[in-house]
Amino acid sequence: MGRPVLQVKDLRVSFDTRDGSVKAVNGVSFDLEENQTLGIVGESGSGKSVSALTIMGLIPMPPGHIENGEVIFRGRNLLQLTESEKRKIRGNSIAMIFQDPLTSLNPVYRIGRQIAEPLMLHKKMGKKKALDRSVELLRLAGIPHPEMRVRDYPHQLSGGMRQRVMIAMALSCDPAVLIADEPTTALDVTIQAQITDLMRDVQKRRGSSIVMITHDMGLIAGMADNILVMYAGQPVEFGVAEAVFARPFHPYTRGLLESLPRSDITGKIPLKPIGGIPPSPANLPPGCPFHPRCPFFKDICGRENPVFCDVENGHGSACHFSPEVFGW
């Protein structure tokens, strides 16, 4: 086991709304080791992006409130730093690829300038050297004719190329931790494969640790070392990727896997979608938040929220019952 480069401990984040205080993240913990990839999986509203934005120090406060937790990076709790101290880390040691590159890129600046900005800010490069480095980063990201593209505006690029620009920008300062929030959303499957291959290649070259946020279990099947499954703001399963895919401990994780198309059994076994819809964070059901959709629901599930605990060799789950009870 390697040395954790990032540790998140019992993170709890809430937001003030018209309906009162809403818990968006409730008790998230994980260790991210050097040169490893953690996949955070869950449906929309599960708290994945809020967890990432909290690590980056980008949660607006108010209405957001960090009620509890620690985010330890290189011996420092990021949640206790001043805004000035956070800016020295954000985009430098910890970088993020945002979900929608079109809205994340500034439409009135050329992409070369936007990539060069963190280099001039964090690495103290001159403008010409930073722009030359921007060309190199675009080439690394797989963009053809980077010497020309560096002068383009975001609207002149396709969705896949804009995502590559975001990756080039995130990698500009050689971050120790790269957080990718749904980096392949709205891209076709061919571009998705290219983006994930690029991230794997970058990790191999630079040794960065990656947090990959997605709703797609299939996307991270060949990429993540460990997987954290979230539901309604809570962690419901954590383990080594191979173990989670081979034998999921939580019914929600099993539901995600059963709703995933598989090329080896397509047409033989119908997909099994998870019934119902995720609950509103402002109106969570009593007990286990997944129990209204769980096919294995028991009376205790509606009364008590199960505690997350280790079940087997670092493979943990938040369920009242062991996998044997479900016949897994």
Side-chain angles (χ1 to χ4, degrees):
M1 181 176 294
R3 178 170 58 90
V5 65
L6 180 70
Q7 294 178 291
V8 175
K9 302 179 180 179
D10 195 26
L11 185 63
R12 299 175 187 270
V13 182
S14 65
F15 290 90
D16 295 330
T17 71
R18 294 178 180 178
D19 299 320
S21 180
V22 173
K23 294 185 181 296
V25 176
N26 192 12
V28 170
S29 301
F30 63 81
D31 288 354
L32 178 65
E33 299 180 7
E34 293 182 348
N35 199 30
Q36 286 201 343
T37 298
L38 169 68
I40 302 182
V41 186
E43 294 169 287
S44 297
S46 63
K48 309 183 302 297
S49 295
V50 174
S51 299
L53 292 173
T54 304
I55 293 172
M56 294 294 295
L58 295 174
I59 293 293
M61 295 188 290
H65 301 277
I66 301 174
E67 298 182 350
N68 187 65
E70 295 180 315
V71 178
I72 308 299
F73 175 71
R74 293 177 174 170
R76 306 173 72 188
N77 185 359
L78 302 183
L79 303 184
Q80 296 178 345
L81 301 183
T82 65
E83 184 58 31
S84 177
E85 291 172 325
K86 290 177 183 177
R87 281 197 297 266
K88 294 178 181 179
I89 294 175
R90 188 166 51 226
N92 186 19
S93 300
I94 304 178
M96 185 168 178
I97 303 171
F98 294 93
Q99 185 169 349
D100 185 355
L102 185 58
T103 57
S104 300
L105 294 169
N106 193 317
V108 301
Y109 292 128
R110 301 179 193 273
I111 61 171
R113 174 175 175 176
Q114 297 187 57
I115 298 173
E117 184 175 356
L119 292 168
M120 292 187 287
L121 175 65
H122 296 297
K123 301 303 182 183
K124 309 303 179 184
M125 287 186 183
K127 183 177 180 180
K128 184 179 184 306
K129 186 176 180 180
L131 287 173
D132 290 341
R133 178 60 177 157
S134 298
V135 173
E136 295 177 12
L137 289 165
L138 290 177
R139 182 177 291 109
L140 174 66
I143 292 183
H145 310 298
E147 300 85 357
M148 299 172 57
R149 290 298 188 180
V150 77
R151 296 190 292 271
D152 285 348
Y153 291 92
H155 72 272
Q156 295 177 278
L157 305 177
S158 67
M161 292 182 72
R162 284 194 293 265
Q163 194 62 277
R164 290 171 185 269
V165 170
M166 288 295 299
I167 293 174
M169 188 183 303
L171 297 174
S172 60
C173 294
D174 293 326
V177 176
L178 178 63
I179 301 175
D181 186 7
E182 300 277 9
T184 60
T185 297
L187 301 179
D188 60 62
V189 291
T190 303
I191 302 300
Q192 283 185 7
Q194 293 175 0
I195 295 297
T196 54
D197 287 344
L198 172 60
M199 294 180 64
R200 277 193 292 261
D201 183 57
V202 166
Q203 183 179 45
K204 184 178 180 180
R205 292 185 187 184
R206 305 193 176 198
S208 299
S209 301
I210 297 176
V211 177
M212 182 79 165
I213 297 173
T214 182
H215 61 275
D216 187 350
M217 291 288 283
L219 182 64
I220 61 168
M223 188 169 182
D225 298 290
N226 298 306
I227 293 178
L228 171 65
V229 182
M230 294 183 63
Y231 185 80
Q234 303 179 24
V236 296
E237 184 158 355
F238 178 86
V240 175
E242 291 82 356
V244 173
F245 276 95
R247 187 170 177 244
F249 286 172
H250 197 279
Y252 177 60
T253 309
R254 186 176 179 88
L256 290 176
L257 292 173
E258 288 182 342
S259 62
L260 182 69
R262 289 176 50 185
S263 59
D264 58 330
I265 59 173
T266 298
K268 300 178 183 178
I269 301 178
L271 298 179
K272 297 180 181 179
I274 301 175
I277 60 174
S280 167
N283 188 28
L284 293 176
C288 173
F290 184 62
H291 87 261
R293 307 173 68 190
C294 183
F296 305 100
F297 164 70
K298 306 292 182 183
D299 288 342
I300 190 174
C301 303
R303 297 194 309 268
E304 300 178 17
N305 194 358
V307 177
F308 191 98
C309 61
D310 185 275
V311 179
E312 182 179 284
N313 300 324
H315 188 174
S317 173
C319 185
H320 289 295
F321 307 102
S322 66
E324 288 78 12
V325 174
F326 308 126
W328 300 343

